């Protein structure tokens, strides 16, 4: 993977630490400050490796945390590159984690914010935005949507994740088969070995959780803690299924007594 314009000779990670400043929180009962992540009214996350992976059950705050990190780096909450506005938020009624960024303090060394904020749920909106922007400028559209969902994702990663910078990936596995996830893992390894890319990723995929050299954190009702992928619920569930699929399905599908 060839990397283009070098912004600094210092190695990733560039974002070193984020921490919650309680003085900036107006109401601990409001979202997103009422998430279990912030129950103790203190939060700190240190980035010590080029690749950081965050896992947790739905609703624990993974995407909210990534939205806040994206906002700190100057990205729109819907994802995209710097200066992109792929989604009109003027009539949105959903609550975003971008407001969380205002209560964070962050430490960069150096402040390299070039890169991309990838969100699986807004991929189509961003891809259409890229096509329209290319046509308006007289260029050839990247046309990620003419491929299958998973192929479009992989082509997107291969084209957009080559420069020095910070890459925030929210559930990139959502359209990827296991073999395509291996392709993404190879790409992540190249990014790691380049020393010029920082990746912060939220995922439900045990394959991606096992990314060599990555530091893994688990969000639970108790907060955020470092963990090993073999200790995650995701891995244990897949291990139990592969060990005895029939027994697993019988237990998993058993209805609770009324």
């Amino acid at each position: 993977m060839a990397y283009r314009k070098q912004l600094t000779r210092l190695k990733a990670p560039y974002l070193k630490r984020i921490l919650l400043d309680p003085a900036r929180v107006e109401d601990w009962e409001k979202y997103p400050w009422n998430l279990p992540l912030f129950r103790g009214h203190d939060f700190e996350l240190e980035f010590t490796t080029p690749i950081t992976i965050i896992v947790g059950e739905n609703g624990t705050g993974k995407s909210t945390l990534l939205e806040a990190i994206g906002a700190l780096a100057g990205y729109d909450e819907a994802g995209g590159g710097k200066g992109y506005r792929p989604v009109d938020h003027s009539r949105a009624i959903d609550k975003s984690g971008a407001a969380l960024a205002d209560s964070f303090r962050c430490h960069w060394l150096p402040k390299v914010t070039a890169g991309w904020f990838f969100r699986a749920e807004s991929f189509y909106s961003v891809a259409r935005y890229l096509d329209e922007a290319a046509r308006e400028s007289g260029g050839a559209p990247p046309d990620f949507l003419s491929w299958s969902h998973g192929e479009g994702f992989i082509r997107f990663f291969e084209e957009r994740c080559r420069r020095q910078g910070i890459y925030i990936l929210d559930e990139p596995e959502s359209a990827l088969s296991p073999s395509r996830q291996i392709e993404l893992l190879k790409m992540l390894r190249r990014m790691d070995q380049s020393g010029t890319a920082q990746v912060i990723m939220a995922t439900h995929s045990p394959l991606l959780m096992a990314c060599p050299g990555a530091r893994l954190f688990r969000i639970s009702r108790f907060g955020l803690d470092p963990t090993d992928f073999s200790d995650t619920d995701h891995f244990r569930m897949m291990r139990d299924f592969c060990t005895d699929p029939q027994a697993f399905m019988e237990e998993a599908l058993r209805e609770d007594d009324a």
Side-chain angles (χ1 to χ4, degrees), residues 3-255:
Y3 281 80
R4 304 172 191 171
K5 181 181 177 182
Q6 189 167 349
L7 304 173
T8 177
R9 293 185 180 276
L10 294 177
K11 300 292 187 181
Y14 307 116
L15 177 59
K16 299 294 187 181
R17 187 166 62 118
I18 58 173
L19 64 158
L20 186 68
D21 184 350
R24 301 182 182 181
V25 179
E26 294 183 2
D27 188 350
W28 291 101
E29 300 302 317
K30 290 180 58 178
Y31 174 89
W33 299 278
N34 60 359
L35 286 167
L37 271 174
F38 314 119
R39 181 168 292 150
H41 294 187
D42 61 349
F43 173 84
E44 183 174 339
L45 176 56
E46 186 176 9
F47 302 95
T48 59
T49 55
I51 299 179
T52 302
I53 300 175
I54 300 171
V55 304
E57 191 50 79
N58 293 331
T60 54
K62 300 185 306 302
S63 294
T64 301
L65 182 58
L66 260 61
E67 285 174 1
I69 294 172
L72 289 170
Y75 293 98
D76 184 76
E77 60 197 76
K82 295 298 285 292
Y84 287 67
R85 189 74 171 179
V87 175
D88 181 5
H89 303 289
S90 61
R91 301 182 64 183
I93 59 174
D94 61 314
K95 295 180 179 179
S96 165
L100 181 61
D102 293 334
S103 57
F104 273 152
R105 289 190 286 122
C106 55
H107 301 272
W108 302 79
L109 187 64
K111 190 172 184 179
V112 174
T113 62
W116 201 270
F117 181 14
F118 176 86
R119 302 196 66 181
E121 64 184 32
S122 60
F123 174 75
Y124 279 103
S125 296
V126 172
R128 289 192 185 97
Y129 177 93
L130 293 174
D131 285 347
E132 292 171 1
R135 291 190 188 97
E136 290 175 1
S137 64
D143 194 22
F144 297 114
L145 299 181
S146 292
W147 303 80
S148 73
H149 202 173
E151 289 174 320
F153 272 35
I154 289 296
R155 286 175 60 84
F156 181 89
F157 295 139
E158 288 176 343
E159 179 177 319
R160 298 286 159 166
C161 298
R162 292 175 176 268
R163 300 181 181 183
Q164 184 179 47
I166 183 169
Y167 295 89
I168 304 164
L169 310 180
D170 190 9
E171 299 183 9
E173 77 281 2
S174 64
L176 302 181
S177 68
S179 61
R180 293 297 192 187
Q181 290 182 42
I182 295 298
E183 289 186 42
L184 178 55
L185 274 173
K186 291 178 179 178
M187 194 180 309
L188 290 171
R189 182 175 64 178
R190 293 194 295 270
M191 294 171 76
D192 183 18
Q193 292 174 344
S194 75
T196 63
Q198 179 175 5
V199 177
I200 304 172
M201 176 171 63
T203 182
H204 290 295
S205 167
L207 279 174
L208 297 185
M209 292 177 200
C211 180
R215 192 176 185 199
L216 185 65
F217 290 89
R218 176 174 53 192
I219 299 179
S220 70
R221 64 181 183 277
F222 303 110
L224 181 72
D225 297 295
T227 189
D228 184 83
F229 85 99
S230 61
D231 292 328
T232 63
D233 294 335
H234 308 70
F235 173 81
R236 290 172 178 170
M237 185 175 292
M238 293 305 300
R239 178 196 59 196
D240 292 347
F241 170 76
C242 292
T243 299
D244 191 341
Q246 183 175 351
F248 176 89
M249 294 304 294
E250 289 176 355
E251 177 65 26
L253 299 180
R254 181 178 297 133
E255 299 285 355

